Amino acid sequence: MALSIRHSVSDLTSAHLPLRWRNCKLSAILELIGVPSPIRGRIPKHHISEVVAGSAAWLGRGLSCVCAQRRVGDARLIFDLTPTQKECLQRLHNRIDIAYDSSIHEHQEALMDLWNAAFPGEELCGLISEQWKEMGWQGKDPSTDFRGCGLLSLENLLYFARSFPKSFQDLLHKLEGNRAIWEYPFAVAGVNITFMLIQMLDLESIKPRNLVGATFLKFLAENESAFDLLYCIAFKLMDQQWLAMRASYMDFNTVIKATRRQLEKEILLEDVSRLEDLPSYNLLSR
C-alpha cells in the first residue's frame, strides 16, 4: 500500500508509517535505503516525495527503487552494505557461529578469566564446580548454559567485566536498589541478553532487514566491539527496568521485552551517531 505523495516530516510519527519506522529520523531512512548523499541534501526538509509502505515504491522522482518487504506487520529494508560493513558483519557472524567447546584450551581460559574477573582472589576448584552457581549459572557446569548463544555469550560477559568492572560487580552482587526476594540469575540473564540482541538486530540473517539492525551496522563499522558495548548497555538497562518494574524471577521475560523496546527507541534517536550517545550508556560505571 503506497502512501500519499506529500507528507511533512512531522508525519513520520503518524500511524501512516510501519511501526518500526515511526519516530525515526528522515535522514537515517534516506541513508539506509541508499539515497546518495548529494540527493539527500536537495530533498526539502518539509516534504517527502513518497514514503514506502508496501512491496515497492519510489522515494522521490528519479531516485532508485526502494523495496520494503512486510512480514507480520514489520517493514523489511533492502539496502547495500559498504565494504567495511560487510567485513565487520561477517566477523560478527563468525563469532555468533562459534559454539563453546570445553575441550578447547582457549575456551577454558576465557571461562577462567571470567571467574577471576567476577571473584578476584577467590580460587576456583575446577571448571566443573558448585561454585559457578554463585555467578548465576544453572548448574555446576557453565558450558551447558552456553549452548543457547555459544562462545559469544561468554565473550560478552568477559567484555563487560573488563570494560565496566563497577557495573559488572553491581549487577553480579545486586548492590543497587531494592531487590526482589527471588532475583534473576546473573549469568543466565547475560546469556539471554546476548540472544535478545541477536534477534533485535536481525543478526541471524545474511544482513539486517530492519531499521534498528541497519542502523547498528554504522556503529559496528566504526567500532568492531559495538556488539559487546551494546551488550553492556543492555544489561545495565535491563537491571534498571527490573528495579523500576519491581520485578521478580517470573517477570524476567517481560523485563527483557521492555529492555528491547527501549534500546530500539534509543538507537533510532535523531542525535545518536555512536553507541556512547545512547541515553542508557550513561547508566554504566567503570
Side-chain angles (χ1 to χ4, degrees), residues 222-238:
E222 296 174 2
N223 177 7
E224 200 160 354
S225 298
F227 186 87
D228 303 270
L229 178 55
L230 185 59
Y231 172 89
C232 300
I233 297 170
F235 210 145
K236 186 63 176 176
L237 175 60
M238 184 279 294

Side-chain angles (χ1 to χ4, degrees), residues 77-104:
L77 299 181
I78 295 178
F79 60 97
D80 292 328
L81 300 177
T82 67
T84 301
Q85 287 175 337
K86 285 182 180 179
E87 293 176 8
C88 294
L89 182 58
Q90 184 58 57
R91 285 194 285 268
L92 181 53
H93 279 160
N94 292 342
R95 292 178 65 193
I96 293 172
D97 289 339
I98 300 174
Y100 178 84
D101 189 340
S102 57
S103 67
I104 297 177

Side-chain angles (χ1 to χ4, degrees), residues 123-138:
E123 185 178 355
L124 179 67
C125 296
L127 291 177
I128 298 179
S129 170
E130 293 289 339
Q131 290 172 280
W132 286 111
K133 294 180 181 179
E134 298 176 29
M135 195 184 294
W137 300 105
Q138 295 184 82

